Amino acid sequence: MDCGEATNLVLLVDDDARTVRRLAKMLRADGFEVEVVTDGRTALARVATDPAPRALVTEWVLPSVDGMAVARRARRHWPSLPVIFMTGYPQLAEKAVDLVPQPAVMTKPVDYDHLVNQLRSTMGTKVL
Amino acid sequence: METTLEELKRYVRFSGEDARRLAAFRSVAEPHFERIATGFYDRIVEHEGAASVVGERASRVRAALVGWLGHLLSGRYDEEYYEASARVGRQHASNRVPQRYVVAAMSVMQAELEQLAFEDEDAEALHDALSRILDIELAIMLDAYRETELVRVERARATSEALATAAENAGVIILGVDEAGLVRIFNGEAERVSGRPREEVIGQPFIAAILGEDEHAEHAGRVARVLTGEVRVDRFEAKHQTPSGAVLDLRWELTHHGGRTANGVAMFAVAEDVTEQRAEVDRTLRQERLEAVGNLAAGLAHEIRNPLNGAQLHLAFLERALSQQNADPEVLEALDVVGNEIKRLAQLVSEFLEFARPHALERERTSLAELVGRVVALAGAPGITLLTELPPAEVILEVDVERVQQLLLNLVQNAIEALEPQGSGRIVIRARRRTRSVVIEVEDNGPGLPEDAPIFDAFYSTKANGTGLGLAIAHRIALDHDGTIDVSSQPGRTCFTLVLPTTPIETEKRKEPSS
């Protein structure tokens, strides 16, 4: 089932713990529910279990597992889950075009307002 | 028309009567053929020189002699007879039997037959007949030898000519050098590469002729050693500058020539143009180095971008928190400055990556007019006149559209910034087609660039906020397309010229069909 019980849960995956936690706090202040995962393996497990997030925001380069693997796995469970890659290696992420619908790619450093707009527009168009 | 045989018979006065006598004589002589043949054979085997010629073909030689004796006394001396005799002569000539041996053999046969002829009732007439037929045989044999020799010479000449043509037209430089180090042979390719005609070079020292004076000292020793035969073969590479200024890499092979040729060549010097091969190797090495640098750059970029991300995010948080707390405007301004600096760093990282990372071009077909149109639309130059001068016929390019667009936009933006201080000015984007390329110029009437400024160098910038990579990137993009970018500048006129080869290119005339 595609629509999770949580109405606007954002799943954040990045191993830069301090920054990603700050981001989570800011997103919560702006009305999102946020879960934070700071390593790839945990992320792989998380994207295979409920509750389904309404969006996945992940770095591409993670220790031991890459963001692409996380995204792919998430899409297996939730085929139209919005995926945003946040990364210092945009050229790699841009090559991962075999996921449909295509993930968005944002290059670090990411503009916070830009990210929020992106989240609102993709999550807002989901059919409940 | 008289045949050769008829002519010969006429000269020696060989008559039908002679023929009858010889035919009659045959029954007398025939029982002795074997004996005569064996006797002759034994005699020539005694003599070393002949033995080597005859060698293992002993029985065949004896049988041949017996056959010839029968042939001689056959009684029928017609064209068939002539042809058979000529055939024997040609065989001897092909086997390289020295003529004098054949003459000696005939002389011996004659003596033996004359011995037997003594018994005849008309010995004198028979003797004459034998003499005449043997004269005819001799003439036929001489002719056969001459013919065979001519054919051999002709073949040798044709082979020699073919080899000479091959050497002349070969795609390698071929020189023959004599003992004194002077050029004796100078082939077509040597002429082409050195730019000097053969006549000018023959008799001149080899080294000066084509090795060039710079190479002289280094290679004089090698050449000397091969000339004398101290070294049989030597190989080395040397650079050569052609008359047109191109520098070629030549791979030389010097070979000592064992014997002397007709023109006294003691050494052959053959050279292959390996410039392209070398360039290919260099290109590959350079490519690999660039890729290594590119990967390093990408890694570094990632490493820098992450902390920038953290900084930017926390800054966003600070800005919110402080403005909610009504902080001092100066404090907020400071945060603004930090934000801009971070953005600048991020921009620098991106541009550096663009510059340092080799990337395959993604070529697309686009119309020149459309490309320039987009650049103009994106540029936006309030207060500045932006004009375009494009060819009337549509020009299709196959280029990496995004990158070429970026390049042109870069140039236009530079021009805009150059004109900003004076508040107004004119920028012209001009393009024209050449046979195999397109030339695009971006010209402004601004104050110009400092003289001799290394503007295409990375990190050179005349602008306060510039990263200094814009033109370096433009240069990179031009190079990636196998094109060039140059600038000419003086106060009042600065012009950047971009040349892009076209692959492939079509020009479609708008209204008329192409003629």
Side-chain angles (χ1 to χ4, degrees), chain A residues 1-20:
Chain A
M1 217 12 271
D2 224 3
C3 45
E5 293 97 44
T7 50
N8 63 349
L9 173 63
V10 177
L11 180 58
L12 291 184
V13 181
D14 197 327
D15 60 325
D16 181 354
R18 192 154 56 176
T19 305
V20 78

Side-chain angles (χ1 to χ4, degrees), chain A residues 35-103:
Chain A
E35 258 183 63
V36 171
V37 175
T38 52
D39 83 275
R41 288 202 198 288
T42 312
L44 273 183
R46 175 61 185 90
V47 298
T49 52
D50 286 333
R54 288 286 300 274
L56 168 65
V57 179
T58 176
E59 163 60 89
W60 179 270
V61 178
L62 295 167
S64 73
V65 165
D66 68 29
M68 188 60 199
V70 175
R72 229 185 234 123
R73 198 152 214 230
R75 279 283 178 84
R76 264 216 294 270
H77 288 265
W78 309 298
S80 48
L81 177 71
V83 174
I84 300 173
F85 286 115
M86 271 195 327
T87 178
Y89 273 119
Q91 67 274 19
L92 291 180
E94 267 150 22
K95 291 199 167 82
V97 291
D98 57 339
L99 285 183
V100 178
Q102 269 189 37

Side-chain angles (χ1 to χ4, degrees), chain A residues 16 18-19 22-23 26 30 59 61 88-91 107-113, chain B residues 298-299 301-302 305-306 308-310 312-314 316-317 320 342-343 346 353 357:
Chain A
D16 181 354
R18 192 154 56 176
T19 305
R22 171 58 58 194
L23 179 58
M26 291 169 77
D30 280 334
E59 163 60 89
V61 178
Y89 273 119
Q91 67 274 19
T107 308
K108 286 179 174 175
V110 163
D111 183 290
Y112 177 75
D113 290 327
Chain B
H302 178 253
R305 281 169 166 165
N306 268 314
L308 283 182
N309 191 49
Q312 186 157 290
L313 190 71
H314 283 89
F317 170 71
R320 274 166 199 234
I342 292 175
K343 284 197 168 67
L353 205 55
R357 208 164 43 92

